[in-house]
Amino acid sequence: MINKSQAKAVAESYLKNLQVQSLGLQDRKLCLQILECLLDRYRDALFSLGDDLVYGICEAIDGEKDPQCLMLLFHIVELLAQLFPEPSGPLANYAGDLFDFLGCYFPIHFTHPKSDDVDVKKGELSRALMLAFASTPLFEPTAIPLLLEKLSSSLPSAKVESFKYLSYCTLKYGGDRMEKYTGSLWSALKDAIFTNPQSTLSVDSDPVDGLGFHESEIMTQALELLQVLVRQHNASFLSLILGDGDISTFLNSFSQLDDFNNLSTQYKQRLHAVGRLLSVCIKSSASSCNKVFESFFPRLVDALRLSVENSHETIHSALDANFNFGALYLCVEFLAACRQLVVSSHKVTSASDLSRDSWCQILRSFCTSLCNVFFCLIRTSSSESTWNAYVYAAVKGLEILATFPGSFISVSKLMYENILLTLTSIIESDFNKKFLWKAALKALVEINLFVNKYHEDEKAASFNTIVRRKIVSLISSDDLNMPQSLKLEAIFDIGVTGKSFMLSAVSELEKTISASLSEIFVCGDRRLAELTAGLLECYSNKVLPWFHCNGGVDEVSLNLAINIFSKMEKSTSLSLGAKGKELLDATMAAMKQSVAGCSVESQEKVLQKAFDVMATSSFFVSKDLILGTDLFNKKTQLGQTFEGLSCRDEWITSLFTSVVIALRPQTRIPNIRLLLQLLATTLLEGHIPSAQALGSLVNKLPLNISEDCSLEKVIDTLFKNVMWCNISIGKEGNDGGAVDMSNLKLSSLNIHAVVGLAWIGKGLLMRGHEKLKDVTMTFLNCLVSNGDYGNLLPFNDQMKDRAEQKVLCLRKSAADAFHILMNDSDACLNRNYHASIRPLYKQRFFNIMMPMFLSALVKCDSSTTRCFLYQAFVHLVSETPLAAVVGDAKKVVPVLMDCFLILSKDVSHKEIIYSALIVLSGILTDKNGQEAIVENAPTVIGRLIELTSYPYMMQVIRETAIQCLGAMSELPHARIYPMRTQVLQAITKALDDPKRVVRLEAVKCRLAWASMASRSIHF
């Protein structure tokens, strides 16, 4: 640290000896950092420098263009204004000159290309300049005229920045200094908001504000400035608005244009603008609210033909005669603005004062009439889109009246309950009127949020009595006219606004699910399958995630899981047919989500219940049939397990495996050998979830499960079993731990066992267990086994017998096993289900397997074996993060080219071809991978040309191949130029592709390649 005298000496030397703008970038930046530090920490020492300091800063700013330096300079100006705030001090002498330098940078315009590494963003630089503009009122004489001048710019960004700066500077300069500009400011605001309203018509079917206009950024910033000015110059500025002839004339035109559907787009845009303009005035302060109401509300009352006496006849006559939409719209806008004014009043005293204001008295007198107008509009509305604007205004009006704090223009309790009854009735019976139904649902959500947030106890009681009771009862309603999806949407859109409502909804949902499952499982009623599946999906996707975020998920999850197993336990037989698959999937998903949300203690309860129900299945046999015992091995070897799973057994097994998949690593499993037996038995019947459960087990089991059981023993029990048909997995028969394939007989291998081994391998891979090597070597040896039947490719359909066909299917399963190993699964082994995931496990596996695949491909002399190796290789690289693949791009790219050559001959490989193409495009678009592409450019281009005419109705392959060719046009011309003729010929053919998206890509690619050949293309 230095003292004040030293700081002053540094500053003097700085101003005397340094010409900042003559220095290089880094030196200028360092100099400005020093000056910033001196002004920030040693103000007192620099105060005596006076004019010299201000002049030195002016010189430093002049001509600076670097964003980082400008950020420092703008902050220096801000600090300088704090040092010399006096109206007659040193800064006042140079204020005009200093602002001239600052004004040159407005509005901020970046010329740096996107590729440049620029730390400063445009928004940050613009804000720094704005702070400098507003740092001292001394800049007002030059700043405000400049900003007003820029409002006439043709650039929208300049107008946005001008309004934003004017809002901030107006606050900082103060009302006295800004008084003389009010006329000019209103003229600019009127032009942006009313004369040339900057809003666009929404393309959505649902109007955003009843009219369907989206405000531009210009209009948004203009309205913010308007609010600042109304608050700062309440009476004077408001008089300009209220006395404006154009605004008054427009409001007087209501009587001429009543029907919304007859209004021109320009008139609607003007109506939207006036509504927003007056709403801003109302929200600004209570006094401005009073003046707006006194000036304009009587006209709206006359146009709507409202009466204080609330005569129903008057309202109906108004509806019969082209109801005045303009007045209705502005009434709702006024109501919304008044409510915002009230809600924003945080102090109790000010809120109490507001309730005695004239606007509040006026609204009270017409409140009931307005409600009845809204009711009538809703009752007479139809499902036609021409009514949407009226419907929006009516429902929004009821919502606003229902959410006014009680001490203001609160509607009576009877009227409030009528509002709730009307909106609830729409939900129950007017679901065919889509727009009305959505608007009513949104209104009920907002009302419930209001009563919960502001503790309106009386209103909350009415809401619970009327809305909660009726809406929650929709779940168990026998009325099939209303779609179940709408019932659930209504219940849970409202339910998420409060825990008490959600608990009631969940209780009713659990009862309905329980009753439906009883009818399905016990009584065999198939008709309820589809509806019950929808309820369970809602439970999984909405209920459980909500409780997970808001607390209470353990109890809710436990209840559902136990309930499902209890209903399953009571069933003796089950036959659901085709509809059962959808219900089973939904039930499994709900079971997984429920168990995953349970605590360890609750999971143990569910697991015990699952074991009890599993004991009632037909395959839960004697204790002799335990995994690893002679009896189990004998039955498995002879293929004498079971003749497929019955419907009930499949349900029990699927629910049981869902529990196992979702268990936490800390959950204690009471009988691990029994569990392995059950999963291995059902796995051999082709039950994939059992394989996934085995993978989840080996992934999450602790190293030491109990005193007499460890993870190693569990894995050995699985690997040494004859279910793998004499494949010696592990160290037996091979001291190095590799797989002994000497006795491998592919024709006797069970395909389901291969799938099971793949999921077990995935569990080991994700946790980083060393046994993974044995599993992957098993698959690799299956792919290259000498059990090959010549060069018979799987797509030739020339099978000599079933044994050959089975061998090819098994080897295909071994290739697909690499997809299981590397692909991210939603069904199991993910963070939602508490999987153990080692960082970068995919990258490590890729680095281990790459040399093995390359070696196997070099040694391979069979086209069939090579085909399977390519399939496995594509599965490996397509699921590996691109950064790891790019690191080995020089090895990967040649193999991918061979994959395209071999695999593109068979339609069954189209998905694999597409995956390989995605990998190639990733390498091509990565700077580090382009070197490998350049080295193999002729081969890559040749393969891509072939794929541009890929058949088999796979347009995405043709489209991606053409995109890759287009990207290759950016590579060094020396490597790609010789291929241009072939490329252009192929792309020309692609211009006639039956798919439009392919033709569009062909046009882009053709232009890219033609531009480097010549301006005219001749063949």
Side-chain angles (χ1 to χ4, degrees):
M1 294 291 290
I2 60 175
N3 55 38
K4 292 183 179 181
S5 59
Q6 291 171 328
K8 182 179 179 180
V10 170
E12 289 175 342
S13 176
Y14 180 104
L15 296 172
K16 181 178 180 181
N17 299 312
L18 284 179
Q19 297 292 326
V20 177
Q21 285 305 312
S22 65
L23 303 175
L25 174 59
Q26 294 302 322
D27 291 336
R28 295 202 312 274
K29 184 177 177 181
L30 182 60
C31 290
L32 295 175
Q33 288 173 339
I34 293 172
L35 185 56
E36 180 187 37
C37 180
L38 291 171
L39 283 166
D40 189 28
R41 299 189 180 184
Y42 300 95
R43 294 184 186 178
D44 296 341
L46 271 61
F47 185 80
S48 61
L49 297 178
D51 292 351
D52 292 338
L53 179 61
V54 178
Y55 183 78
I57 292 174
C58 290
E59 282 190 331
I61 296 176
D62 188 15
E64 182 60 64
K65 296 180 180 180
D66 179 71
Q68 293 180 338
C69 291
L70 287 173
M71 285 288 290
L72 292 168
L73 282 166
F74 295 159
H75 188 226
I76 286 171
V77 171
E78 194 178 351
L79 294 173
L80 184 67
Q82 297 171 10
L83 180 63
F84 301 119
E86 302 85 0
S88 58
L91 180 58
N93 299 332
Y94 289 95
D97 295 333
L98 181 57
F99 188 83
D100 285 342
F101 292 120
L102 285 178
C104 295
Y105 296 103
F106 181 84
I108 294 294
H109 177 61
F110 257 35
T111 57
H112 290 264
K114 294 182 179 179
S115 59
D116 283 4
D117 186 16
V118 180
D119 294 333
V120 180
K121 297 179 180 179
K122 179 180 178 181
E124 296 172 344
L125 194 58
S126 176
R127 174 165 176 78
L129 180 59
M130 183 176 71
L131 294 176
F133 267 42
S135 60
T136 173
L138 298 174
F139 289 153
E140 167 264 312
T142 47
I144 300 302
L146 172 66
L147 296 174
L148 287 171
E149 179 187 351
K150 292 296 182 181
L151 286 175
S152 60
S153 171
S154 59
L155 293 175
S157 60
K159 291 184 179 182
V160 171
E161 293 294 293
S162 296
F163 279 125
K164 187 184 297 184
Y165 278 46
L166 281 168
S167 298
Y168 192 75
C169 290
T170 298
L171 285 172
K172 294 297 181 179
Y173 293 164
D176 293 339
R177 281 184 172 270
M178 295 299 297
E179 183 69 32
K180 57 180 174 290
Y181 299 108
T182 54
S184 300
L185 289 169
W186 166 238
S187 178
L189 288 170
K190 177 184 172 183
D191 181 71
I193 299 173
F194 178 76
T195 308
N196 299 299
Q198 300 292 318
S199 57
T200 56
L201 193 62
S202 171
V203 296
D204 301 331
S205 58
D206 298 346
V208 179
D209 60 350
L211 289 173
F213 287 101
H214 284 295
E215 294 170 5
S216 67
E217 185 66 16
I218 295 176
M219 191 168 181
T220 300
Q221 293 299 330
L223 291 170
E224 287 189 12
L225 174 59
L226 175 66
Q227 187 169 31
V228 170
L229 291 168
V230 171
R231 287 176 176 171
Q232 191 178 71
H233 308 275
N234 198 309
S236 60
F237 198 83
L238 202 58
S239 63
L240 294 174
I241 300 173
L242 301 181
D244 190 278
D246 293 333
I247 302 290
S248 181
T249 301
F250 177 81
L251 292 175
N252 290 333
S253 66
F254 281 159
S255 59
Q256 302 172 10
L257 298 168
D258 289 328
D259 187 10
F260 172 79
N261 299 302
N262 293 330
L263 301 180
S264 65
T265 301
Q266 184 181 10
Y267 185 90
K268 294 176 185 177
Q269 198 173 29
R270 289 276 181 91
L271 180 60
H272 167 79
V274 170
R276 295 291 290 118
L277 190 151
L278 296 179
S279 294
V280 168
C281 295
I282 291 172
K283 290 186 289 186
S284 299
S285 66
S287 60
S288 60
C289 182
N290 289 332
K291 291 179 181 178
V292 172
F293 260 75
E294 291 166 2
S295 299
F296 296 116
F297 200 75
R299 305 187 200 182
L300 304 182
V301 169
D302 292 340
L304 290 174
R305 305 175 191 178
L306 299 180
S307 65
V308 179
E309 291 80 11
N310 183 32
S311 169
H312 284 275
E313 290 74 21
T314 304
I315 295 170
H316 278 290
S317 64
L319 289 173
D320 293 338
N322 286 336
F323 194 75
N324 194 307
F325 176 78
L328 174 69
Y329 175 79
L330 287 182
C331 263
V332 174
E333 288 290 298
F334 280 25
L335 284 174
C338 289
R339 183 189 175 281
Q340 183 64 32
L341 174 64
V342 172
V343 169
S344 62
S345 301
H346 301 294
K347 297 181 180 180
V348 178
T349 53
S350 62
S352 176
D353 293 338
L354 282 174
S355 64
R356 294 192 293 268
D357 284 341
S358 60
W359 69 264
C360 201
Q361 303 300 325
I362 294 171
L363 277 184
R364 278 202 187 103
S365 62
F366 290 99
C367 181
T368 305
S369 293
L370 280 171
C371 282
N372 282 309
V373 167
F374 298 147
F375 288 145
C376 289
L377 278 171
I378 290 173
R379 284 196 295 269
T380 57
S381 66
S382 68
S383 58
E384 297 178 5
S385 60
T386 54
W387 275 91
N388 286 358
Y390 291 100
V391 166
Y392 178 91
V395 175
K396 189 68 178 177
L398 291 178
E399 174 200 321
I400 295 168
L401 290 172
T403 54
F404 255 97
S407 59
F408 293 91
I409 63 161
S410 172
V411 294
S412 66
K413 181 179 180 181
L414 177 61
M415 187 61 74
Y416 174 75
E417 292 181 349
N418 282 338
I419 293 174
L420 297 181
L421 285 168
T422 300
L423 296 175
T424 306
S425 175
I426 294 170
I427 300 299
E428 291 179 308
S429 55
D430 286 334
F431 47 85
N432 291 324
K433 300 177 181 179
K434 181 181 177 182
F435 186 84
L436 174 62
W437 192 88
K438 290 279 188 183
L441 177 59
K442 184 178 179 181
L444 286 173
V445 169
E446 293 298 325
I447 292 172
N448 199 29
L449 284 171
F450 168 79
V451 296
N452 288 325
K453 182 177 180 179
Y454 293 99
H455 308 291
E456 296 275 346
D457 296 335
E458 185 178 1
K459 289 184 176 181
S462 298
F463 190 92
N464 292 334
T465 303
I466 297 172
V467 181
R468 181 193 292 185
R469 178 174 55 81
K470 290 194 174 187
I471 297 298
V472 168
S473 65
L474 291 175
I475 299 177
S476 55
S477 172
D478 295 329
D479 181 14
L480 299 180
N481 292 323
M482 183 177 184
Q484 186 188 62
S485 60
L486 293 183
K487 292 180 181 179
L488 295 175
E489 181 181 354
I491 292 164
F492 290 102
D493 279 9
I494 301 174
V496 296
T497 59
K499 193 167 186 177
S500 60
F501 194 110
M502 187 60 120
L503 288 171
S504 299
V506 168
S507 176
E508 192 69 22
L509 181 60
E510 287 178 350
K511 292 177 183 177
T512 306
I513 291 175
S514 179
S516 299
L517 291 177
S518 294
E519 291 293 324
I520 294 170
F521 293 159
V522 181
C523 304
D525 190 347
R526 299 182 184 181
R527 296 172 299 174
L528 294 175
E530 185 176 352
L531 294 177
T532 307
L535 295 177
L536 289 166
E537 287 176 3
C538 176
Y539 212 100
S540 302
N541 300 330
K542 292 186 177 181
V543 175
L544 293 174
W546 188 89
F547 277 100
H548 181 76
C549 295
N550 295 275
V553 68
D554 186 40
E555 181 181 356
V556 173
S557 299
L558 178 63
N559 290 341
L560 177 67
I562 296 296
N563 194 11
I564 292 175
F565 275 115
S566 297
K567 300 304 175 185
M568 194 75 244
E569 190 175 21
K570 294 178 181 178
S571 67
T572 55
S573 63
L574 197 60
S575 178
L576 297 178
K579 293 183 178 179
K581 181 66 171 65
E582 180 184 354
L583 178 59
L584 176 59
D585 291 341
T587 310
M588 288 178 65
M591 181 63 73
K592 288 178 188 177
Q593 294 286 354
S594 297
V595 176
C598 287
S599 62
V600 172
E601 294 76 12
S602 297
Q603 284 190 349
E604 291 175 354
K605 294 177 183 177
V606 175
L607 184 60
Q608 186 58 55
K609 183 67 175 179
F611 269 117
D612 295 341
V613 176
M614 196 74 170
T616 66
S617 64
S618 60
F619 55 81
F620 195 87
V621 292
S622 65
K623 295 181 180 179
D624 295 329
L625 196 64
I626 297 294
L627 188 68
T629 63
D630 293 338
L631 182 58
F632 183 88
N633 292 345
K634 182 179 179 181
K635 286 183 176 289
T636 313
Q637 192 172 17
L638 296 176
Q640 297 176 352
T641 50
F642 301 94
E643 297 179 357
L645 297 174
S646 67
C647 182
R648 183 176 185 275
D649 289 344
E650 183 183 4
W651 267 79
I652 292 175
T653 306
S654 299
L655 296 178
F656 182 82
T657 55
S658 297
V659 173
V660 175
I661 286 171
L663 291 178
R664 297 177 184 271
Q666 301 84 4
T667 302
R668 186 181 63 84
I669 300 175
N671 192 333
I672 189 66
R673 285 176 64 91
L674 177 60
L675 178 57
L676 295 177
Q677 169 213 347
L678 296 173
L679 296 177
T681 302
T682 52
L683 165 62
L684 295 179
E685 298 298 331
H687 192 251
I688 300 300
S690 295
Q692 295 170 343
L694 282 171
S696 297
L697 271 180
V698 298
N699 175 263
K700 290 184 279 190
L701 282 175
L703 295 177
N704 296 309
I705 302 169
S706 62
E707 294 182 359
D708 59 345
C709 184
S710 66
L711 177 62
E712 293 294 328
K713 290 183 179 180
V714 168
I715 297 175
D716 290 341
T717 303
L718 288 170
F719 283 2
K720 293 176 183 178
N721 191 264
V722 293
M723 65 187 288
W724 314 118
C725 296
N726 299 323
I727 302 178
S728 180
I729 305 176
K731 295 185 178 180
E732 287 191 3
N734 191 320
D735 294 336
V739 181
D740 181 10
M741 300 298 296
S742 59
N743 296 321
L744 176 63
K745 297 179 180 179
L746 286 176
S747 59
S748 63
L749 186 58
N750 189 314
I751 293 178
H752 304 317
V754 174
V755 176
L757 188 60
W759 283 104
I760 292 171
K762 183 176 182 65
L764 295 172
L765 169 63
M766 293 178 69
R767 75 179 295 167
H769 198 279
E770 61 182 7
K771 287 285 186 180
L772 168 69
K773 178 177 66 175
D774 304 330
V775 176
T776 52
M777 286 303 299
T778 300
F779 295 137
L780 196 58
N781 280 283
C782 284
L783 295 174
V784 301
S785 169
N786 293 327
D788 187 11
Y789 288 83
N791 284 337
L792 183 63
L793 287 174
F795 45 79
N796 287 334
D797 292 331
Q798 300 174 356
M799 302 299 174
K800 295 181 179 179
D801 53 38
R802 291 185 177 179
E804 295 180 17
Q805 187 174 4
K806 182 179 180 182
V807 167
L808 292 175
C809 291
L810 288 169
R811 299 178 75 187
K812 179 69 166 64
S813 297
D816 292 341
F818 285 90
H819 176 70
I820 295 175
L821 287 169
M822 296 293 287
N823 186 43
D824 295 327
S825 173
D826 293 329
C828 65
L829 289 170
N830 55 55
R831 296 195 185 278
N832 291 335
Y833 301 136
H834 314 295
S836 176
I837 304 177
R838 185 183 182 187
L840 305 177
Y841 75 91
K842 289 186 179 183
Q843 291 89 327
R844 289 190 180 91
F845 187 64
F846 172 78
N847 291 331
I848 292 171
M849 294 306 300
M850 267 296 295
M852 296 183 183
F853 271 109
L854 295 176
S855 175
L857 287 168
V858 170
K859 296 176 182 177
C860 178
D861 57 359
S862 164
S863 59
T864 304
T865 299
R866 189 174 290 274
C867 178
F868 288 124
L869 284 171
Y870 285 144
Q871 293 177 54
F873 178 82
V874 173
H875 288 316
L876 176 71
V877 298
S878 63
E879 298 294 339
T880 301
L882 182 61
V885 178
V886 168
D888 271 338
K890 293 185 178 181
K891 299 176 183 177
V892 172
V893 170
V895 181
L896 288 178
M897 296 304 102
D898 293 338
C899 290
F900 292 137
L901 179 65
I902 300 298
L903 300 181
S904 60
K905 300 175 182 178
D906 183 14
V907 64
S908 64
H909 299 144
K910 58 187 179 182
E911 298 295 339
I912 297 177
I913 290 289
Y914 179 63
S915 297
L917 201 52
I918 292 299
V919 175
L920 180 66
S921 67
I923 297 173
L924 179 59
T925 54
D926 190 287
K927 288 184 178 180
N928 297 323
Q930 288 181 355
E931 183 179 349
I933 300 291
V934 171
E935 289 182 6
N936 298 275
T939 306
V940 174
I941 292 175
R943 297 288 182 267
L944 291 174
I945 288 175
E946 294 172 1
L947 292 176
T948 58
S949 58
Y950 188 80
Y952 311 125
M953 301 300 291
M954 280 293 286
Q955 72 177 54
V956 68
I957 289 180
R958 301 195 298 275
E959 178 189 356
T960 309
I962 294 173
Q963 288 173 342
C964 289
L965 281 174
M968 291 199 70
S969 67
E970 301 295 327
L971 298 180
H973 286 196
R975 294 292 296 166
I976 64 173
Y977 193 79
M979 303 291 293
R980 73 189 188 284
T981 303
Q982 295 95 308
V983 172
L984 290 170
Q985 288 174 342
I987 296 302
T988 301
K989 294 178 182 179
L991 293 173
D992 296 325
D993 194 278
K995 297 296 182 180
R996 183 173 183 270
V997 65
V998 178
R999 297 196 299 270
L1000 290 174
E1001 291 299 331
V1003 170
K1004 297 176 185 177
C1005 182
R1006 187 171 182 265
L1007 288 173
W1009 280 83
S1011 63
M1012 69 174 175
S1014 64
R1015 292 189 177 274
S1016 60
I1017 304 171
H1018 303 285
F1019 297 115

